[in-house]
CSV table of all heavy atoms in Angstrom, one decimal:
chain,number,residue,atom,x,y,z
A,124,ILE,N,0.5,-4.3,-8.0
A,124,ILE,CA,-0.3,-4.0,-6.7
A,124,ILE,C,-1.2,-5.3,-6.4
A,124,ILE,O,-1.9,-5.7,-7.2
A,124,ILE,CB,-1.4,-2.8,-7.0
A,124,ILE,CG1,-0.6,-1.6,-7.5
A,124,ILE,CG2,-2.3,-2.6,-5.9
A,124,ILE,CD1,-1.5,-0.4,-7.8
A,125,ASP,N,-0.9,-5.8,-5.2
A,125,ASP,CA,-1.5,-7.0,-4.7
A,125,ASP,C,-2.9,-6.8,-4.0
A,125,ASP,O,-3.7,-7.6,-4.2
A,125,ASP,CB,-0.5,-7.7,-3.7
A,125,ASP,CG,0.9,-7.9,-4.3
A,125,ASP,OD1,1.0,-8.2,-5.5
A,125,ASP,OD2,1.9,-7.7,-3.6
A,126,ARG,N,-2.9,-5.7,-3.2
A,126,ARG,CA,-4.2,-5.5,-2.5
A,126,ARG,C,-4.3,-4.1,-2.2
A,126,ARG,O,-3.3,-3.3,-2.0
A,126,ARG,CB,-4.1,-6.4,-1.3
A,126,ARG,CG,-5.5,-6.3,-0.6
A,126,ARG,CD,-5.6,-7.4,0.5
A,126,ARG,NE,-4.8,-7.1,1.7
A,126,ARG,CZ,-3.7,-7.9,2.1
A,126,ARG,NH1,-3.3,-8.9,1.3
A,126,ARG,NH2,-3.0,-7.6,3.1
A,127,ILE,N,-5.6,-3.5,-2.3
A,127,ILE,CA,-5.8,-2.1,-1.8
A,127,ILE,C,-6.9,-2.1,-0.7
A,127,ILE,O,-7.9,-2.8,-0.8
A,127,ILE,CB,-6.3,-1.3,-3.0
A,127,ILE,CG1,-5.3,-1.4,-4.2
A,127,ILE,CG2,-6.6,0.1,-2.5
A,127,ILE,CD1,-5.9,-0.7,-5.5
A,128,ASN,N,-6.6,-1.5,0.4
A,128,ASN,CA,-7.5,-1.4,1.5
A,128,ASN,C,-7.7,0.1,1.9
A,128,ASN,O,-6.7,0.8,1.8
A,128,ASN,CB,-7.0,-2.0,2.7
A,128,ASN,CG,-7.0,-3.6,2.6
A,128,ASN,OD1,-7.9,-4.2,1.9
A,128,ASN,ND2,-5.9,-4.2,3.1
A,129,GLY,N,-8.9,0.4,2.3
A,129,GLY,CA,-9.2,1.8,2.9
A,129,GLY,C,-8.6,1.8,4.2
A,129,GLY,O,-8.8,0.9,5.0
A,130,ILE,N,-8.0,2.9,4.7
A,130,ILE,CA,-7.4,3.0,6.0
A,130,ILE,C,-7.9,4.2,6.7
A,130,ILE,O,-7.8,4.2,8.0
A,130,ILE,CB,-5.8,2.9,5.9
A,130,ILE,CG1,-5.4,2.7,7.2
A,130,ILE,CG2,-5.3,4.3,5.3
A,130,ILE,CD1,-3.8,2.4,7.3
A,131,SER,N,-8.4,5.2,6.0
A,131,SER,CA,-9.0,6.3,6.7
A,131,SER,C,-10.1,7.0,5.9
A,131,SER,O,-9.9,7.0,4.6
A,131,SER,CB,-7.9,7.3,6.9
A,131,SER,OG,-8.4,8.6,7.2
A,132,ASN,N,-11.2,7.4,6.5
A,132,ASN,CA,-12.2,8.3,5.7
A,132,ASN,C,-12.5,9.6,6.4
A,132,ASN,O,-13.3,10.3,6.2
A,132,ASN,CB,-13.5,7.5,5.7
A,132,ASN,CG,-14.1,7.1,7.0
A,132,ASN,OD1,-13.6,7.6,8.1
A,132,ASN,ND2,-15.0,6.3,6.9
A,133,TYR,N,-11.5,10.0,7.3
A,133,TYR,CA,-11.7,11.3,8.0
A,133,TYR,C,-10.4,11.5,8.8
A,133,TYR,O,-9.8,10.6,9.5
A,133,TYR,CB,-12.8,11.2,9.0
A,133,TYR,CG,-13.0,12.4,9.8
A,133,TYR,CD1,-13.7,13.5,9.3
A,133,TYR,CD2,-12.6,12.5,11.2
A,133,TYR,CE1,-13.9,14.7,10.0
A,133,TYR,CE2,-12.8,13.6,11.9
A,133,TYR,CZ,-13.4,14.8,11.4
A,133,TYR,OH,-13.6,15.8,12.1
A,134,PRO,N,-9.7,12.7,8.8
A,134,PRO,CA,-10.2,13.9,8.1
A,134,PRO,C,-9.6,13.9,6.7
A,134,PRO,O,-9.9,14.8,5.9
A,134,PRO,CB,-9.5,15.0,9.0
A,134,PRO,CG,-8.2,14.4,9.4
A,134,PRO,CD,-8.6,13.0,9.7
A,135,VAL,N,-8.9,12.8,6.4
A,135,VAL,CA,-8.5,12.7,4.9
A,135,VAL,C,-8.9,11.3,4.5
A,135,VAL,O,-9.2,10.4,5.4
A,135,VAL,CB,-6.9,12.9,4.8
A,135,VAL,CG1,-6.5,14.3,5.1
A,135,VAL,CG2,-6.2,11.8,5.7
A,136,THR,N,-9.0,11.1,3.3
A,136,THR,CA,-9.1,9.7,2.7
A,136,THR,C,-7.7,9.0,2.5
A,136,THR,O,-6.8,9.6,2.0
A,136,THR,CB,-9.8,9.7,1.3
A,136,THR,OG1,-11.0,10.3,1.3
A,136,THR,CG2,-9.9,8.4,0.6
A,137,GLY,N,-7.7,7.9,3.2
A,137,GLY,CA,-6.4,7.1,3.1
A,137,GLY,C,-6.6,5.7,2.5
A,137,GLY,O,-7.5,5.0,2.7
A,138,LEU,N,-5.7,5.5,1.6
A,138,LEU,CA,-5.7,4.1,0.9
A,138,LEU,C,-4.4,3.5,1.2
A,138,LEU,O,-3.4,4.1,1.0
A,138,LEU,CB,-6.1,4.2,-0.6
A,138,LEU,CG,-7.3,4.9,-1.0
A,138,LEU,CD1,-7.4,5.0,-2.5
A,138,LEU,CD2,-8.5,4.2,-0.5
A,139,GLU,N,-4.4,2.2,1.5
A,139,GLU,CA,-3.2,1.5,1.7
A,139,GLU,C,-3.0,0.4,0.5
A,139,GLU,O,-3.8,-0.4,0.3
A,139,GLU,CB,-3.2,0.7,3.0
A,139,GLU,CG,-2.0,0.0,3.4
A,139,GLU,CD,-2.1,-0.7,4.7
A,139,GLU,OE1,-2.7,-1.8,4.7
A,139,GLU,OE2,-1.6,-0.2,5.7
A,140,PHE,N,-1.9,0.5,-0.2
A,140,PHE,CA,-1.7,-0.4,-1.3
A,140,PHE,C,-0.5,-1.4,-0.9
A,140,PHE,O,0.6,-0.8,-0.5
A,140,PHE,CB,-1.1,0.5,-2.5
A,140,PHE,CG,-2.1,1.5,-3.0
A,140,PHE,CD1,-2.3,2.6,-2.3
A,140,PHE,CD2,-2.8,1.2,-4.2
A,140,PHE,CE1,-3.1,3.6,-2.9
A,140,PHE,CE2,-3.8,2.1,-4.7
A,140,PHE,CZ,-3.9,3.3,-4.0
A,141,ARG,N,-0.7,-2.6,-0.9
A,141,ARG,CA,0.4,-3.7,-0.9
A,141,ARG,C,0.9,-4.0,-2.2
A,141,ARG,O,0.1,-4.4,-3.0
A,141,ARG,CB,-0.1,-4.8,0.0
A,141,ARG,CG,-0.4,-4.5,1.5
A,141,ARG,CD,-0.7,-5.7,2.2
A,141,ARG,NE,-0.8,-5.3,3.6
A,141,ARG,CZ,0.3,-5.3,4.5
A,141,ARG,NH1,1.4,-5.6,4.0
A,141,ARG,NH2,0.1,-5.0,5.8
A,142,VAL,N,2.2,-3.8,-2.4
A,142,VAL,CA,2.8,-4.0,-3.7
A,142,VAL,C,4.0,-4.9,-3.6
A,142,VAL,O,4.6,-5.0,-2.5
A,142,VAL,CB,3.1,-2.6,-4.3
A,142,VAL,CG1,2.0,-1.6,-4.4
A,142,VAL,CG2,4.4,-2.0,-3.5
A,143,THR,N,4.3,-5.5,-4.7
A,143,THR,CA,5.4,-6.4,-4.9
A,143,THR,C,6.3,-5.7,-5.9
A,143,THR,O,6.0,-5.6,-7.1
A,143,THR,CB,5.1,-7.7,-5.3
A,143,THR,OG1,4.2,-8.3,-4.3
A,143,THR,CG2,6.3,-8.7,-5.3
A,144,LEU,N,7.6,-5.4,-5.5
A,144,LEU,CA,8.6,-5.0,-6.5
A,144,LEU,C,9.4,-6.2,-7.0
A,144,LEU,O,9.7,-7.2,-6.3
A,144,LEU,CB,9.6,-4.0,-5.8
A,144,LEU,CG,9.0,-2.7,-5.2
A,144,LEU,CD1,10.2,-1.9,-4.7
A,144,LEU,CD2,8.3,-1.9,-6.3
A,145,PRO,N,9.7,-6.2,-8.3
A,145,PRO,CA,10.4,-7.4,-8.8
A,145,PRO,C,11.8,-7.6,-8.2
A,145,PRO,O,12.3,-8.7,-8.2
A,145,PRO,CB,10.6,-7.1,-10.3
A,145,PRO,CG,10.4,-5.6,-10.4
A,145,PRO,CD,9.5,-5.1,-9.3
A,146,ASP,N,12.5,-6.5,-7.8
A,146,ASP,CA,13.8,-6.6,-7.1
A,146,ASP,C,13.6,-5.9,-5.7
A,146,ASP,O,13.5,-4.8,-5.6
A,146,ASP,CB,14.8,-5.8,-7.9
A,146,ASP,CG,16.2,-5.7,-7.1
A,146,ASP,OD1,16.3,-6.6,-6.1
A,146,ASP,OD2,16.9,-5.0,-7.5
A,147,TYR,N,13.5,-6.8,-4.7
A,147,TYR,CA,13.4,-6.3,-3.3
A,147,TYR,C,14.6,-6.5,-2.4
A,147,TYR,O,14.4,-6.8,-1.2
A,147,TYR,CB,12.1,-6.8,-2.6
A,147,TYR,CG,12.0,-8.4,-2.6
A,147,TYR,CD1,12.5,-9.1,-1.5
A,147,TYR,CD2,11.4,-9.0,-3.7
A,147,TYR,CE1,12.3,-10.5,-1.5
A,147,TYR,CE2,11.2,-10.4,-3.7
A,147,TYR,CZ,11.7,-11.2,-2.5
A,147,TYR,OH,11.5,-12.5,-2.5
A,148,SER,N,15.7,-6.4,-3.1
A,148,SER,CA,17.0,-6.4,-2.2
A,148,SER,C,17.1,-5.1,-1.6
A,148,SER,O,16.3,-4.1,-1.9
A,148,SER,CB,18.1,-6.5,-3.2
A,148,SER,OG,18.2,-5.6,-4.1
A,149,PRO,N,17.9,-5.1,-0.5
A,149,PRO,CA,18.1,-3.8,0.3
A,149,PRO,C,18.3,-2.6,-0.7
A,149,PRO,O,19.3,-2.7,-1.5
A,149,PRO,CB,19.2,-4.1,1.2
A,149,PRO,CG,19.1,-5.6,1.4
A,149,PRO,CD,18.7,-6.1,0.1
A,150,GLY,N,17.6,-1.5,-0.4
A,150,GLY,CA,17.9,-0.3,-1.3
A,150,GLY,C,17.2,-0.3,-2.6
A,150,GLY,O,17.4,0.7,-3.4
A,151,SER,N,16.5,-1.4,-3.0
A,151,SER,CA,15.9,-1.6,-4.3
A,151,SER,C,14.7,-0.5,-4.5
A,151,SER,O,14.4,-0.3,-5.6
A,151,SER,CB,15.4,-2.9,-4.5
A,151,SER,OG,14.4,-3.3,-3.6
C-alpha cells in the first residue's frame, strides 16, 4: 500500500488505496 486518501465522508465513508502489485503484467 503506497498511499491512502479519504475520498468520501457522505453518504458512505470512502477510502482510496494506491497499491503496487509485484507482478503487474496484463491480467495479473
